[in-house]
Amino acid sequence: MTEATLEATHNFAKKFSSYKEFYIKSNDLIFSKLGLGTFNKEPYKEENYVFHYIEGVKEAVKNGINLIDSASNYRYGQSEKEIGIALKELFEEKIVTREELIICSKGGFIQLEYPFPKNPYTWIEDNIINTKLATKEDIELDQHCLSADFIEWSCKKSLENMGIDKFDIYYLHNPEIQIQKNGYKKFLKKVESIFKRFEKMITMGFIKYYGVAVWNGFSDKSTGEHINLEDLVEIALKVGGENHHFKYIQTPFNIAKTNIYTMPTQTVKGEECTLLQAAYRLKIDVISSSSLLQMNLFKKSFKAETGYLLDNKMVLENDIQLALQFVRSTPGIISSLFASKVPVHIKSNLRITEIKTTPRAHYDLMYRV
């Protein structure tokens, strides 16, 4: 099974030695501080299938990004398949090796197929229920499934979509959706069964590390979907021991959604703290998502003070670059994902590699302007 390695990811980073503070070590891998995401909302809309990510993935890798992220339900598997096409071309052209890239996906949502089935409810019945991958009780809102068998099946399907044999990180996707239905204690028992399966899947060679990717789960207590990270780590210790492979979480963070840095939404050993503080204390690394908030950050221009604090030498050219500089400079975050399918936009975004991360003193002033 081929996976990312420390030596290869380090060699990848050295190709871009002019980049300033753009690579960071996490566990035994070297990550680019920005990663490429492939999310598009409303996958049931035909308009999400008239474009592709192939050239975007290739451009990102050619310009120094080695973290590629997707999920089984992103455009019902099309995003994963397009990543697979891009990877095949990159490998054949000897631009990069598999070992240099950190490839991630997620399972939890029921991925229909494109072209869409005529009746999605019948499709779920035939492909998920009748095949014993899950029971009806495992499924919430006809879209999300917390069953270990389903998650393993979903992972294998995603590997097939991408044309690889192992994920470097595989996430349980938005499990908080099922907290209100199950209650928190029953929810944690379901997570335990999935973490136990993840540890087995590591032995089987399908994944290197596992994690949990959320939307509201870690940062908002008001939704009824809150997860305490310490509870998940305790489960990982129970099923995997001190050498468990639960190493990453993924959660939204951007210049407008800063809860993980500012709000005490977590408890570790009885003490309230922010998610980033909790993750540090519990030895879990953080990948942030939604760095550009699906471009909703840019409905009006950033303040001049924001630009000065993030880039006082005025190298950067636009608010998108400033937004990426903000997340990239946040202490405690390994890498931040942004979605783009246009090669020229990706190249433009990576102009942030021309400057260093924003100094901590300037960064913290951002929360006052």
Side-chain angles (χ1 to χ4, degrees):
M1 302 290 184
T2 310
E3 63 185 59
T5 66
L6 177 59
E7 181 181 9
T9 53
H10 188 211
N11 287 340
F12 180 87
K14 288 191 289 187
K15 296 177 188 176
F16 305 92
S17 58
S18 62
Y19 282 20
K20 293 180 172 59
E21 300 176 351
F22 191 65
Y23 296 97
I24 186 170
K25 186 178 180 183
S26 166
N27 294 302
D28 62 346
L29 298 172
I30 305 295
F31 285 69
S32 53
K33 287 290 288 178
L34 292 182
L36 187 71
T38 53
F39 171 77
N40 279 84
K41 62 182 180 179
E42 301 174 324
Y44 48 84
K45 288 189 174 181
E46 293 280 352
E47 64 198 53
N48 280 318
Y49 298 85
V50 297
F51 60 82
H52 64 75
Y53 279 101
I54 299 168
E55 296 305 321
V57 171
K58 293 171 67 175
E59 189 71 13
V61 171
K62 290 175 183 178
N63 284 276
I65 286 177
N66 75 335
L67 175 64
I68 302 170
D69 182 86
S70 195
S72 62
N73 65 313
Y74 288 179
R75 298 164 63 239
Y76 294 146
Q78 287 299 113
S79 291
E80 289 181 330
K81 290 174 183 177
E82 290 161 8
I83 290 170
I85 293 169
L87 293 176
K88 185 174 184 291
E89 293 179 5
L90 287 165
F91 299 157
E92 287 176 350
E93 295 168 21
K94 301 191 184 304
I95 292 168
V96 71
T97 66
R98 167 65 185 92
E99 293 85 353
E100 292 177 299
L101 300 180
I102 301 165
I103 303 175
C104 319
S105 196
K106 316 176 190 73
F109 285 98
I110 295 173
Q111 66 273 46
L112 299 178
E113 296 174 340
Y114 183 80
F116 309 127
K118 290 181 179 180
N119 187 327
Y121 304 104
T122 302
W123 189 96
I124 291 171
E125 190 82 24
D126 291 343
N127 291 275
I128 307 299
I129 305 297
N130 293 344
T131 57
K132 310 296 185 185
L133 291 175
T135 66
K136 290 182 179 179
E137 288 69 36
D138 293 321
I139 298 172
E140 175 70 354
L141 301 173
D142 296 311
Q143 63 171 324
H144 193 276
C145 184
L146 276 185
S147 151
D149 287 338
F150 169 79
I151 296 294
E152 181 177 335
W153 172 82
S154 188
C155 177
K156 291 175 179 176
K157 192 176 178 71
S158 292
L159 288 169
E160 182 182 341
N161 285 344
M162 288 202 200
I164 58 176
D165 54 21
K166 189 172 190 175
F167 284 120
D168 299 298
I169 310 172
Y170 191 72
Y171 298 96
L172 178 59
H173 197 184
N174 288 21
E176 70 268 27
I177 286 174
Q178 299 224 23
I179 291 177
Q180 293 189 48
K181 172 187 175 180
N182 291 287
Y184 193 60
K185 286 187 177 180
K186 185 177 178 182
F187 164 78
L188 290 179
K189 290 300 292 182
K190 284 179 171 286
V191 171
E192 181 179 329
S193 71
I194 291 168
F195 276 20
K196 188 174 182 180
R197 183 65 59 89
F198 279 158
E199 293 289 348
K200 182 180 178 182
M201 289 165 65
I202 285 161
T203 303
M204 296 164 68
F206 295 125
I207 55 178
K208 183 179 178 74
Y209 299 119
Y210 63 92
V212 173
V214 304
W215 185 253
N216 291 318
F218 295 126
S219 60
D220 191 345
K221 287 185 174 181
S222 68
T223 62
E225 297 182 339
H226 183 259
I227 301 171
N228 199 52
L229 180 59
E230 186 178 38
D231 295 333
L232 300 186
V233 173
E234 287 175 357
I235 290 170
L237 287 165
K238 179 180 178 181
V239 302
E242 291 292 334
N243 295 320
H244 66 81
H245 296 83
F246 174 44
K247 298 296 184 183
Y248 294 94
I249 57 173
Q250 187 182 121
T251 186
F253 179 77
N254 54 61
I255 205 166
K257 189 180 175 75
T258 60
N259 286 16
I260 68 170
Y261 188 78
T262 58
M263 300 296 292
T265 62
Q266 296 288 308
T267 304
V268 177
K269 294 183 178 178
E271 182 181 345
E272 286 194 336
C273 56
T274 68
L275 176 64
L276 289 180
Q277 290 169 334
Y280 176 78
R281 295 171 191 178
L282 296 165
K283 299 180 180 178
I284 300 294
D285 284 345
V286 179
I287 308 294
S288 68
S289 61
S290 195
S291 299
L292 306 177
L293 197 60
Q294 286 89 58
M295 299 305 289
N296 289 319
L297 292 178
F298 311 109
K299 292 180 178 179
K300 60 180 182 179
S301 297
F302 289 179
K303 295 177 182 178
E305 297 92 333
T306 298
Y308 175 77
L309 288 172
L310 289 172
D311 173 29
N312 61 4
K313 294 183 179 179
M314 301 184 72
V315 173
L316 304 183
E317 300 169 337
N318 55 56
D319 287 351
I320 294 175
Q321 292 171 348
L322 290 172
L324 293 174
Q325 175 68 357
F326 172 78
V327 293
R328 170 255 191 138
S329 300
T330 304
I333 292 178
I334 295 299
S335 188
S336 300
L337 303 173
F338 72 95
S340 182
K341 49 194 171 286
V342 183
V344 67
H345 293 169
I346 292 169
K347 199 164 188 174
S348 172
N349 292 346
L350 286 168
R351 284 211 65 193
I352 70 168
T353 60
E354 297 177 17
I355 63 175
K356 293 184 177 182
T357 55
T358 300
R360 181 67 178 269
H362 282 196
Y363 179 88
D364 284 341
L365 283 174
M366 284 288 302
Y367 293 87
R368 300 183 185 182
V369 300

